[in-house]
Amino acid sequence: ALRWSEVMLRNVCPVVARAAGRLTAPARRPAPSTFAAAAISRPFSSEELVPGVGKGKTSTGLVGLPVDHEAVPKMITKYQALLDKMAASDMPEDAQYRKNVTAIAEFRIKAATENLDDPEAVEELCNCGQVEELVQQADNEMIVLDMYLRNRWWEYVKDNVIIEHNPDHEADDDGREWDAPLEKNTA
């Protein structure tokens, strides 16, 4: 007959019981081969998963950015939404911001469309991070585009601005204050 304390020790806290020498049977764990087979094969599929690649990817390695196995189709949708929003706006087609965003969005849509099942190829072609980051960049660009359209910033950009760098700040001073209000482009 076991005492109540021994029953509690054996059932509730096997680690303490094992340490005290009262529980000798170790906890059962699945054999490594069973675990490994479950980790690299998908149920109902003959396709094997390669850990860390494609559908076998378990981490982006970036805090706060989870793996998204549907990131490539999301990229296509989000970058197309950027293009559609610019097309529906009154931003001139010759605005430099519009040209830049259009070129980037069209390139990324093409890369994603041609490599739907190969996120690593999309990452290699775009050369701007993981596909999850590219989706996040599209979301951030939509925020910037909304601000750009709301504030009509293309009206403040002057054409043919020559940018030069002069390390002599005193010789570079043209009398303008940095906090002066912007003037609209009248051309």
Side-chain angles (χ1 to χ4, degrees), residues 4-167:
W4 179 83
S5 61
E6 289 180 5
V7 171
M8 290 301 291
L9 188 62
R10 193 177 284 252
N11 293 332
V12 177
C13 196
V15 173
V16 173
R18 203 173 293 111
R22 296 194 175 156
L23 183 63
T24 56
R28 294 199 46 122
R29 295 187 178 145
S33 60
T34 306
F35 177 77
I40 61 170
S41 67
R42 293 180 18 193
F44 310 112
S45 174
S46 61
E47 177 186 347
E48 286 192 11
L49 290 179
V50 178
V53 178
K55 298 286 184 189
K57 183 177 181 181
T58 58
S59 173
T60 61
L62 301 170
V63 175
L65 187 61
V67 171
D68 183 358
H69 295 295
E70 300 302 318
V72 176
K74 284 181 184 177
M75 276 180 58
I76 296 169
T77 303
K78 290 176 183 271
Y79 282 106
Q80 187 60 51
L82 282 168
L83 294 174
D84 294 343
K85 187 165 210 159
M86 283 191 296
S89 73
D90 59 345
M91 184 190 320
E93 290 189 20
D94 64 341
Q96 192 62 47
Y97 176 74
R98 183 172 181 160
K99 289 178 190 176
N100 294 345
V101 172
T102 300
I104 291 169
E106 287 175 348
F107 179 80
R108 290 182 179 181
I109 288 170
K110 181 180 179 213
T113 305
E114 293 174 355
N115 299 286
L116 273 174
D117 296 326
D118 191 359
E120 288 77 22
V122 175
E123 293 168 358
E124 183 73 26
L125 287 169
C126 294
N127 198 24
C128 278
Q130 300 176 44
V131 288
E132 292 86 355
E133 291 177 283
L134 296 171
V135 170
Q136 196 173 51
Q137 289 170 22
D139 290 338
N140 292 340
E141 196 63 54
M142 184 61 82
I143 294 168
V144 173
L145 178 61
D146 287 338
M147 287 189 299
Y148 203 89
L149 294 172
R150 182 178 55 248
N151 295 315
R152 302 179 63 83
W153 284 340
W154 63 87
E155 294 177 352
Y156 295 97
V157 177
K158 295 182 174 34
D159 293 333
N160 300 324
V161 174
I162 299 172
I163 300 173
E164 63 180 68
H165 174 70
N166 185 346

